[in-house]
Amino acid sequence: MDKYDLYSRSVQDPAGEVRDFRKFYRQLKGRTPKSFREDFCGTFSVCCEWVKLGPDYTARGLDLDKEPLNYGRKRYLSALTPAQRRRVKPMLKNALKPGGPASDLIVAQNFSYFTFKKRKTLLAYFVSCRKSLRPGGVLILDAFGGGDTLRPNSESTRYGNLTFYWEQYSYDQITHEAHFAIHFKTRGGRKIKNVFTYDWRLWTIAEIRDLLAEAGFRKSHVYWEDDDGKFKRVEKGVDESAWVTMVLAEK
Ligand SMILES: C[S@@+](CC[C@H](N)C(=O)[O-])C[C@H]1O[C@@H](n2cnc3c(N)ncnc32)[C@H](O)[C@@H]1O
């Protein structure tokens, strides 16, 4: 089983994501971001799409786990032109201690920062991101929630011959800690359970924005995903039992 291939076929749209990130940044700042950092980058396929946007686009991807990084080197980095390849830097690094040059844009996607369960750790992460941004830089985080996520639940989605299952095993009403898993089934194959598992705290948008302000970000904005998968900036939340948003924070 190639679990990263199954993941990319169901969860990711790197080319669409980088176009959205650039568009959001341009809307906020009126200029084009060139240096990009992807925290919790896994196979860093998003970094590899970023450098395709033009000859002066650079990307760094940070992940703690060398397995997805090595997969990304074989599958995505090797598919780039030599010039593009030189502008991508996958790094085995903790996102809490990034080091390296400052970036125009930092993204943390697929809710990966929910791994930071303590307020002081998430605050430290946001402070570190702010310091690692160039003047006028932007941090983009995704977030999800809604009433459905306050109890165990599961859903499945078909992508051609692949069925993707997202299962929430638990939710603690006191700590907001929750356990999730991804399962896959290919047509004619058996269901493979717990291919990816996550032990997270479900942070609310209000908590995230308060912490961003405390970390010194000047402003934050919320972009709500509509039924077509497009993100629109909103001032008020939408009454939905399950939702996905992007939170953008301006340095
Ligand atoms: C949900 S996956 C997301 C992968 C990638 N963003 C994607 O969409 O394909 C979470 C990733 O975060 C990495 N990770 C967890 N804690 C980390 C940390 N403190 N610093 C860097 N990476 C971390 C894990 O190794 C894993 O690859």
Side-chain angles (χ1 to χ4, degrees):
M1 175 191 52
D2 181 345
K3 65 179 182 179
Y4 297 112
D5 180 60
L6 298 175
Y7 182 85
S8 76
R9 282 162 59 193
S10 43
V11 174
Q12 294 186 296
D13 170 21
E17 287 172 36
V18 296
R19 279 196 303 272
D20 273 354
F21 297 149
R22 184 171 66 170
K23 183 178 75 186
F24 296 153
Y25 187 101
R26 282 175 168 163
Q27 284 168 352
L28 280 182
K29 313 306 294 187
R31 61 189 172 84
T32 298
K34 296 290 170 68
S35 49
F36 175 81
R37 192 178 99 198
E38 183 189 7
D39 288 351
F40 317 97
C41 66
T43 60
F44 64 99
S45 55
V46 179
C47 289
C48 291
E49 284 300 324
W50 181 261
V51 299
K52 291 181 190 168
L53 293 174
D56 48 354
Y57 285 71
T58 59
R60 284 195 309 142
L62 274 46
D63 202 286
L64 276 182
D65 187 351
K66 57 181 184 306
E67 183 184 278
L69 290 173
N70 284 338
Y71 182 95
R73 285 188 181 95
K74 283 201 197 93
R75 175 158 173 186
Y76 300 113
L77 197 62
S78 65
L80 297 178
T81 66
Q84 290 168 343
R85 215 175 294 149
R86 280 193 289 277
R87 289 182 278 111
V88 182
K89 297 224 172 341
M91 311 186 89
L92 185 65
K93 260 189 182 293
N94 190 333
L96 287 168
K97 298 201 182 331
S103 308
D104 293 322
L105 189 55
I106 298 176
V107 305
Q109 296 296 298
N110 286 324
F111 324 109
S112 306
Y113 64 98
F114 283 4
T115 191
F116 300 138
K117 294 182 178 176
K118 295 280 179 228
R119 190 181 189 285
K120 72 170 193 290
T121 313
L122 189 57
L123 177 62
Y125 173 61
F126 289 165
V127 168
S128 157
C129 285
R130 183 182 53 73
K131 288 184 180 160
S132 304
L133 282 168
R134 290 160 55 103
V138 173
L139 170 66
I140 304 184
L141 310 158
D142 57 3
F144 74 97
D148 288 356
T149 66
L150 305 183
R151 59 191 63 84
N153 69 82
S154 66
E155 61 176 41
S156 62
T157 315
R158 286 285 288 274
Y159 298 95
N161 66 357
L162 177 67
T163 308
F164 163 86
Y165 301 85
W166 175 249
E167 179 161 7
Q168 178 171 351
Y169 286 124
S170 66
Y171 176 76
D172 187 307
Q173 301 286 346
I174 294 177
T175 63
H176 288 217
E177 289 180 15
H179 291 90
F180 300 86
I182 292 175
H183 321 304
F184 293 108
K185 185 178 181 312
T186 47
R187 190 174 294 144
R190 66 180 178 86
K191 184 169 171 182
I192 309 165
K193 293 194 76 176
N194 302 317
V195 179
F196 294 95
T197 57
Y198 305 105
D199 175 6
W200 283 340
R201 170 168 171 180
L202 292 188
W203 292 92
T204 66
I205 296 176
E207 289 171 318
I208 293 165
R209 294 182 83 187
D210 283 352
L211 283 169
L212 287 166
E214 205 172 318
F217 282 92
R218 286 190 309 114
K219 289 188 214 164
S220 64
H221 314 279
V222 178
Y223 288 57
W224 207 272
E225 189 181 34
D226 67 17
D227 292 341
D228 299 326
K230 295 204 180 338
F231 288 89
K232 302 264 164 53
R233 189 161 152 189
V234 294
E235 300 302 328
K236 279 195 162 299
V238 182
D239 182 14
E240 288 176 343
S241 56
W243 46 259
V244 175
T245 62
M246 294 282 180
V247 179
L248 275 70
E250 294 186 63
K251 179 166 178 169

